[in-house]
Amino acid sequence: PLLRFRERFPTASLIVLTDNFRSPQVLLDAAYRLIQQNNPYRLEATAGISKRLLRRGSAPSAALVEHRHFATEEAELSWGAEEILRLVDGGHVTYRDLAILVRTNAQAAEVSPSLIRRDIPHVTTEARGLLARPEVKDTLAYFRLLADPSDGRALFRLITHPALGISNADRTRLLTVLRTQRGPMLPLLQDAAVRASLGADSQPGLERLVNLLMHHVTHTRTLRPSNVYLEFLERSGVLKTAVQESESHPEILPNLQAFLAYLRSLERGV
């Protein structure tokens, strides 16, 4: 697209940004040598320009870039975690000085268990993208309903989740009743007449949700958010549904795992 732009607007000025103020030159040079392997299919080679980045300002300390191969993914993750421990225990750096870069949230979910097993404090950044995932928003709706029992939008998201097995017709009945409710909605969901108005296939799912809410409303202050999360996934049926859906959407389970790691990092205050 950029080449076509230059063909269409040949008089447009071309400005190449090559100043870098963040990375040491040794890292920039290594990255430049690596990207050269994509020639001649890169803009730089096609357009005859140089995009080699140059460090500007005071350069941070940097060691040589290492490229390592591992027989398995587990071996790679274990090496990374052990290297972190080696550097920190040796007094060379603190945990805050280190970072593991990954391309996707799903990959971050694969890294987190290896760190958790070794009690390495960490936090997954770019959580905003993770929190926007539908499977994570289901859990956030549950937390919102625990915090505010009158949150109708959160309840709507939960009762329409396929894991509960509530039919479309019964969802409509429930929503019609809930629209008239002001204040906490749990008592209404416990009402015998409301439950009796639902079909036999819809009642078990609603009962699971109500019992789970009652349990967590009572014990929220004594349970860690990560424990509430795990119990919600398991006892609501959401996890079982996620496993089934993961065949066509493989990112679902890694995202659920990444959210667990995110909760645990918040609990540790890191």
Side-chain angles (χ1 to χ4, degrees):
L2 184 55
L3 291 176
R4 289 197 296 270
F5 174 86
R6 295 188 66 190
E7 292 172 358
R8 185 170 181 180
F9 302 96
T11 60
S13 298
L14 176 64
I15 301 175
V16 182
L17 303 179
T18 57
D19 290 346
N20 183 283
F21 297 87
R22 181 167 54 185
S23 301
Q25 191 64 47
V26 63
L27 179 59
L28 299 177
D29 290 343
Y32 188 72
R33 288 193 300 271
L34 180 62
I35 200 64
Q36 297 298 308
Q37 305 305 312
N38 287 337
N39 289 341
Y41 306 107
R42 296 172 52 245
L43 174 64
E44 183 176 18
T46 305
I49 60 177
S50 175
K51 294 174 60 181
R52 182 175 181 271
L53 298 180
L54 298 174
R55 170 73 195 186
R56 302 300 184 191
S58 57
S61 59
L64 293 177
V65 177
E66 296 183 18
H67 182 203
R68 294 176 176 263
H69 291 272
F70 298 89
T72 64
E73 180 182 61
E74 180 58 32
E76 178 183 5
L77 296 176
S78 295
W79 178 86
E82 294 297 334
E83 183 69 5
I84 290 174
L85 292 176
R86 184 187 70 81
L87 292 171
V88 173
D89 292 343
H92 303 290
V93 295
T94 66
Y95 287 120
R96 292 182 180 274
D97 297 323
L98 302 173
I100 299 177
L101 304 182
V102 295
R103 292 177 63 88
T104 66
N105 283 324
Q107 289 176 320
E110 296 168 357
V111 172
S112 291
S114 182
L115 302 178
I116 292 171
R117 285 195 296 269
R118 294 167 175 81
D119 293 324
I120 297 176
H122 65 283
V123 61
T124 303
T125 58
E126 290 298 331
R128 180 176 58 183
L130 177 64
L131 300 184
R133 293 291 310 169
E135 57 272 14
V136 175
K137 292 175 75 172
D138 295 331
T139 300
L140 294 177
Y142 186 76
F143 279 121
R144 291 206 316 272
L145 194 58
L146 287 178
D148 179 9
S150 64
D151 191 330
R153 295 180 63 183
L155 181 58
F156 171 79
R157 186 176 187 93
L158 292 172
I159 65 175
T160 56
H161 196 287
L164 296 184
I166 300 176
S167 68
N168 289 333
D170 287 335
R171 291 173 187 171
T172 302
R173 292 189 186 94
L174 280 173
L175 294 174
T176 300
V177 174
L178 293 173
R179 286 193 184 98
T180 66
Q181 177 75 2
R182 295 187 180 278
M185 298 182 182
L186 189 55
L188 189 61
L189 295 178
Q190 295 174 286
D191 187 87
V194 172
R195 294 201 184 193
S197 68
L198 305 180
D201 292 340
S202 298
Q203 293 186 23
L206 181 63
E207 185 175 0
R208 284 202 311 274
L209 178 63
V210 171
N211 290 342
L212 197 57
L213 285 167
M214 292 176 61
H215 169 70
H216 285 145
V217 165
T218 304
H219 298 92
T220 296
R221 296 193 178 187
T222 60
L223 290 174
R224 291 178 176 271
S226 58
N227 291 338
V228 174
Y229 172 61
L230 291 173
E231 289 183 358
F232 165 71
L233 290 181
E234 179 65 29
R235 294 171 58 178
S236 67
V238 168
L239 180 59
K240 181 178 179 181
T241 300
V243 171
Q244 295 169 345
E245 294 179 345
S246 66
E247 294 184 6
S248 55
H249 299 282
E251 75 281 0
I252 289 180
L253 293 180
N255 284 336
L256 292 177
Q257 190 175 26
F259 185 65
L260 175 62
Y262 175 62
L263 286 178
R264 285 176 171 167
S265 69
L266 293 178
E267 292 169 355
R268 292 193 303 269
V270 297

